């Protein structure tokens, strides 16, 4: 059985430009899931879960899959 090899690269931007902020500053947390260099097989039924720190009060979410956005506000 052959399976795709995926990698997850997280990034955080605080207050529009940095990685350090104060309480109440907006945070954009991005997880990019992609194939590794040697992975070409299709990835189907992929599930991804990430737990945000308890100090983060999440008010909206946007997921981009290819060219399709799925949002929750």
């Amino acid at each position: 059985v052959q399976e795709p090899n995926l990698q997850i690269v997280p990034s955080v931007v605080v207050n529009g430009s940095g990685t350090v902020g104060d309480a109440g500053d907006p945070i954009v947390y991005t997880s990019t899931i992609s194939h590794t260099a040697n992975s070409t097989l299709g990835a189907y039924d992929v599930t991804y879960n990430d737990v945000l720190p308890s100090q983060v009060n999440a008010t909206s979410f946007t997921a981009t899959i290819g060219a399709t956005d799925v949002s929750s506000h």
Side-chain angles (χ1 to χ4, degrees):
V1 173
Q2 294 182 333
E3 295 184 359
N5 190 7
L6 303 176
Q7 62 185 359
I8 300 170
V9 178
S11 67
V12 176
V13 176
V14 179
N15 208 20
S17 63
T19 57
V20 177
D22 296 314
D25 286 347
I27 299 171
V28 175
Y29 182 80
T30 303
S31 292
T32 302
I33 303 171
S34 60
H35 286 277
T36 59
N38 61 350
S39 178
T40 58
L41 298 172
Y44 303 96
D45 298 324
V46 174
T47 300
Y48 174 69
N49 293 305
D50 195 1
V51 178
L52 296 175
S54 61
Q55 300 89 343
V56 174
N57 181 16
T59 58
S60 69
F61 300 90
T62 300
T64 303
I65 304 168
T68 304
D69 285 341
V70 180
S71 299
S72 171
H73 298 281

